[in-house]
């Protein structure tokens, strides 16, 4: 391929060949390329089309489903150098960014103008907006403020298919509303790099967030915590975030940091609220559902301390071994039922499972812990992973709430969508990428 | 065609052959059909595919762009009899409805459960959810609460294309989050019946709205009113609705109802707010921008009186002749500039134009008034209509904010999207409807 600056050094290629999904298959790329501009991307796509080389776009590689993993012989397109904030338009609540801008960097830049970009995946200190858009990333505050798709107004994309490979187009708009033609912008969001390469993103912003308070409740059983979530919904409360952590998470955090979490606490709910009415309502709902204790604070240091267990869960569990991260979502009223099934699955397969959940959304992240180097444990964890997917589908749920399909959820997606919808998906893929060059074999 | 209950009576056919767009071309259908079930729709689609008969789906026919107008020889599929609210799930904030359910009927039904379906097009007393979804309808409160697309979680659709014509599929989900596969749900929303027939809709609901106050401001110039809108945005205020009506609207209302609107009022802003802070902030912003007077109220009867001018604008103008309704949307900071250009266009073509605007969204509805039976006036209005579209595009806007492309905006859409994006749109259409049976020639 005739591209200046192609990377072929094996060590660099290896580091660019996968995301953070455990045990997802990884191929060997032919080369990697770090475009500095849209024109660079166009050139790369044209070259790949001429030589029939698959293209695997990637950002920071913080994904958890293998969506950015290389396929054999591909060109890895690392967009992290296209990291310019092109524009922040305070009057129209719009930001225009290149795909390599890191989520937290954008948050900081718009905050300086009194504005807010809400999507807050846990990876926000490292993950890029391009990757967030490709996977339609969620986070904690999507309970009240929506996911990445809700903030993408328009895209500049390098396409193939019905136009010549390497053609740059603008999809969407920068106005608040606009419905001319099919919503190709939403089609591209969450398409995991399989329909084209996103080179610029026009984002909707919000006014600065209002100061948030924190409400925490400790429960003697998962069922009571589930009831508290259901009561909050029924009573029309609108917390910004409503998180659940189970006993296994609390235990791992306590063993590590000795925060003084009572050993009879089976589940903890942590909420952020924007109004005193919502905070009052949550305390009452938690209490009515049988909370052992509740606590609330509007002081930010105190709030930080109350959320410590949530923040420390992932690192506390990682000390125990590699984590296989699940991402199922069920109707929110079925969170307690799903938690019970996850527990059964863990017992059945002899796998240690700790669960954090965006409980208000019904989005659960069971974390399957595997002792390092134990192959049987890995196989058991992978079997448990598939069982969790099947149980979520049986409850009317989905195989991925916010992490994406990538490689780990492909079979699950087929089971969720059924053959007819998969045929429609493939027809759309074929219409936009007839050569099957964009991230083949994903999503 | 072998379908029981086919309608061929010319008078009924004529009434089912068009929506409420002025002067959009209307064809003569072969027949109409009123399905009572999804199976009826599947049967009709299969029959049409077998005989190569185009299908034009419609709801209440309140559209303003000709999207539901018949084409010659088509089957009109009138979905208004499929009007059952299938389910209201209070625990999961979800409603499942057939497409013929009227927007206000759904609002009332969910309100009885303490819930809210926010999208509020002006047609809500008559228009159906199916039509709202097909056109991605907006309304007043989308400023804070989003448009129809933001509330559609999933769809049951009868498709053609990659599956056999007449195949029923389920797209999307009923969970709060979910990203398995391309977002075909969002692709169908706003597709104006060109990709398949929607037979069931799963909608996201919200808790009951909080009581709203009203703030009104009168301004001596459009520029000052525009400045007030910009100040509100800059200061992070979040009104539910922020509407502008211009002098021509006020005059027509005053001539008809004698409300006592001062003759030197060039523009009026009307807002609904959910918090006292937002109401205070708006009064200050209006005053700072030079408002002649402002008024606020939390009393609902008073609020209704304050909004009277907005509510009466359309009927007041209709007394003067048929209205050609525009629907451009520009970046919100350019609303004053767009208003000035609309005024120039009216003068240039000798057309009387009155403008109401969802000012907070930048979505303008210039209403072109044509004396009844005056052909030259109609031709002048149509020329002004095209000029308004071109000026909106020149300001970085869109040809349709919420009414849809239909027949009236097809040329404008091509100008907005450009040939490459149109080619991608057509590739998607061809992939999903290779026989070009679903509402051909629209969108």
């Amino acid at each position: 391929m005739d591209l200046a600056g192609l990377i072929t050094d094996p060590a660099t290629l290896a580091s660019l060949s996968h995301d953070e999904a455990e045990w997802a298959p990884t191929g060997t790329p032919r080369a990697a390329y770090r475009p500095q501009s849209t024109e660079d991307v166009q050139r790369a796509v044209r070259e790949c089309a001429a030589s029939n080389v698959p293209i695997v776009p990637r950002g920071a590689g913080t994904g958890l489903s293998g969506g950015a993993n290389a396929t054999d012989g591909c060109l890895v397109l690392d967009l992290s150098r296209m990291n310019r904030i092109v524009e922040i338009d305070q009057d129209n609540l719009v930001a225009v960014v290149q795909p390599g801008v890191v989520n937290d960097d954008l948050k900081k830049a718009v905050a300086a103008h009194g504005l807010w970009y809400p999507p807050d995946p846990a990876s926000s200190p490292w993950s890029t907006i391009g990757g967030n858009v490709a996977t339609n990333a969620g986070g904690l505050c999507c309970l009240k403020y929506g996911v990445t798709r809700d903030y993408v107004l328009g895209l500049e994309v390098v396409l193939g298919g019905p136009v010549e490979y390497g053609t740059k187009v603008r999809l969407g708009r920068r106005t608040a509303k606009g419905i001319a033609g099919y919503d190709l912008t939403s089609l591209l969001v969450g398409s995991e790099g399989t329909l084209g390469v996103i080179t610029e993103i026009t984002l909707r912003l919000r006014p600065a967030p209002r100061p948030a308070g924190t409400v925490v409740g400790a429960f003697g059983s998962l069922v009571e915590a589930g009831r508290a979530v259901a009561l909050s919904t029924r009573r029309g409360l609108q917390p910004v975030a409503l998180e659940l952590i189970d006993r296994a998470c609390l235990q791992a955090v306590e063993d590590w940091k000795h925060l003084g979490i009572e050993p009879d606490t089976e589940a903890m709910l942590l909420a952020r609220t924007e109004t005193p009415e919502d905070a009052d309502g949550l305390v009452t709902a938690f209490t009515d559902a049988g909370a052992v204790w509740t606590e609330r604070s509007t002081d930010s240091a105190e709030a930080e301390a109350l959320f410590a267990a949530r923040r420390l869960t992932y690192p506390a569990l990682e000390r125990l071994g590699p984590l296989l991260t699940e991402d199922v979502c069920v109707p929110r009223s079925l969170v307690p039922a799903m938690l019970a099934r996850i527990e059964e699955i863990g017992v059945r397969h002899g796998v240690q499972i700790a669960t954090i959940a965006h409980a208000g959304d019904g989005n659960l992240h069971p974390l399957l812990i595997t002792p390092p180097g134990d192959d049987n444990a890995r196989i058991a964890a992978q079997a448990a992973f598939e069982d969790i997917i099947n149980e979520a589908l049986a409850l009317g749920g989905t195989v991925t709430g916010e992490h994406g399909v990538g490689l780990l959820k492909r079979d699950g997606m087929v089971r969720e969508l059924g053959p007819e919808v998969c045929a429609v998906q493939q027809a759309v893929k074929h219409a936009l990428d007839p050569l099957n060059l964009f991230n083949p074999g994903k999503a």
Side-chain angles (χ1 to χ4, degrees), chain A:
Chain A
M1 281 186 301
D2 183 22
L3 278 173
L6 268 191
I7 298 161
T8 52
D9 160 55
T12 312
L13 278 190
S15 75
L16 290 174
S17 293
H18 59 87
D19 64 17
E20 291 177 13
E22 287 293 339
W23 305 309
T26 300
T28 306
R30 157 194 309 246
Y33 180 58
R34 290 189 170 124
Q36 313 274 341
S37 68
T38 301
E39 291 67 38
D40 284 351
V41 174
Q42 292 182 272
R43 242 189 311 272
V45 170
R46 272 189 222 111
E47 284 287 326
C48 285
S51 332
N52 205 32
V53 171
I55 301 159
V56 179
R58 61 174 283 137
T62 58
L64 290 167
S65 59
N69 283 17
T71 46
D72 283 334
C74 78
L75 178 74
V76 171
L77 207 60
D78 172 7
L79 293 148
S80 59
R81 301 286 165 88
M82 288 179 64
N83 60 357
R84 204 159 51 84
I85 296 175
V86 179
E87 185 189 354
I88 297 172
D89 177 348
Q90 212 173 338
D91 290 324
N92 291 300
L93 303 176
V94 161
V96 180
V97 303
Q98 290 188 315
V101 171
V102 169
N103 181 306
D104 273 0
D105 292 345
L106 174 64
K107 279 194 168 60
K108 271 176 228 146
V110 303
H113 293 82
L115 298 171
W116 183 32
Y117 175 69
D120 59 348
S123 60
S124 66
W126 314 282
S127 66
T128 63
I129 298 295
N132 293 173
V133 170
T135 57
N136 190 18
L140 269 64
C141 74
C142 44
L143 175 57
K144 184 163 183 179
Y145 287 107
V147 295
T148 302
R149 177 173 289 120
D150 300 311
Y151 292 87
V152 181
L153 289 173
L155 296 170
E156 181 190 80
V157 193
V158 175
L159 291 177
V163 288
E164 217 173 320
Y165 274 81
T167 303
K168 175 182 80 175
V169 300
R170 287 205 164 268
L171 306 177
R173 57 188 207 271
R174 68 179 288 155
T175 51
K177 291 150 81 178
I179 55 168
Y182 302 135
D183 186 1
L184 299 177
T185 307
S186 288
L187 187 67
L188 265 287
V189 176
S191 65
E192 303 188 13
T194 62
L195 300 178
V197 182
I198 294 167
T199 50
E200 197 179 273
I201 303 138
T202 303
L203 294 165
R204 193 164 76 89
L205 304 174
R206 301 185 70 96
R210 302 185 179 190
T214 300
V215 178
V216 175
F219 296 85
S221 76
L222 279 171
V223 170
E224 285 167 345
R227 203 189 300 149
V229 174
L231 274 181
S232 312
T233 306
R234 274 254 172 191
R235 293 178 183 174
L237 305 175
Q238 296 186 54
V240 179
L242 182 52
E243 300 285 305
L244 178 146
I245 42 184
D246 76 355
R247 179 73 223 144
C249 296
L250 295 169
Q251 189 69 54
V253 170
E254 187 59 24
D255 290 348
W256 185 31
K257 292 291 184 181
H258 312 293
L259 300 180
I261 299 165
E262 289 85 353
D264 57 347
T265 303
E266 283 298 314
M268 210 182 253
L269 287 177
L270 306 102
R272 286 203 199 279
T273 55
E274 284 181 327
T275 68
E277 294 77 25
D278 281 323
D280 291 345
L282 283 176
V283 169
T284 309
F286 289 5
T287 307
D288 291 352
V292 181
W293 57 263
T294 64
E295 198 154 329
R296 59 184 284 186
S297 173
T298 50
D299 176 84
S300 67
E302 246 180 72
E304 199 47 50
L306 289 170
F307 256 77
R310 171 70 177 81
R311 197 167 35 79
L312 294 170
T313 288
Y314 208 88
L317 292 169
E318 272 190 315
R319 294 170 67 240
L320 309 177
L323 301 178
L324 195 56
T325 306
E326 260 292 2
D327 173 43
V328 293
C329 191
V330 297
R332 62 192 99 199
S333 63
L334 299 176
V335 167
M338 188 66 211
L339 288 167
R341 294 188 186 193
I342 291 167
E343 213 172 322
E344 285 160 28
I345 290 169
V347 170
R348 188 160 71 239
H349 291 279
V351 174
Q352 202 187 341
I353 306 178
T355 300
I356 48 179
H358 308 308
D361 278 327
N363 187 191
L364 297 94
H365 295 311
L367 302 162
L368 289 68
I369 305 157
T370 52
D374 180 342
D375 259 8
N376 286 331
R378 176 177 61 75
I379 291 164
Q382 286 169 329
F385 187 89
E386 291 301 319
D387 279 5
I388 292 172
I389 289 174
N390 288 332
E391 291 294 344
L393 292 177
L395 291 176
T398 171
V399 302
T400 174
E402 58 180 15
H403 291 170
V405 172
L407 292 168
L408 293 184
K409 295 290 176 74
R410 275 192 305 179
D411 294 347
M413 181 184 74
V414 173
R415 292 203 292 284
E416 176 174 338
L417 301 184
E420 287 94 356
V421 175
C422 284
V424 179
Q425 301 266 353
Q426 280 156 16
V428 170
K429 163 76 173 171
H430 186 72
L432 268 71
D433 181 21
L435 301 180
N436 194 27
L437 289 187
F438 293 120
N439 212 3
K442 307 293 172 55

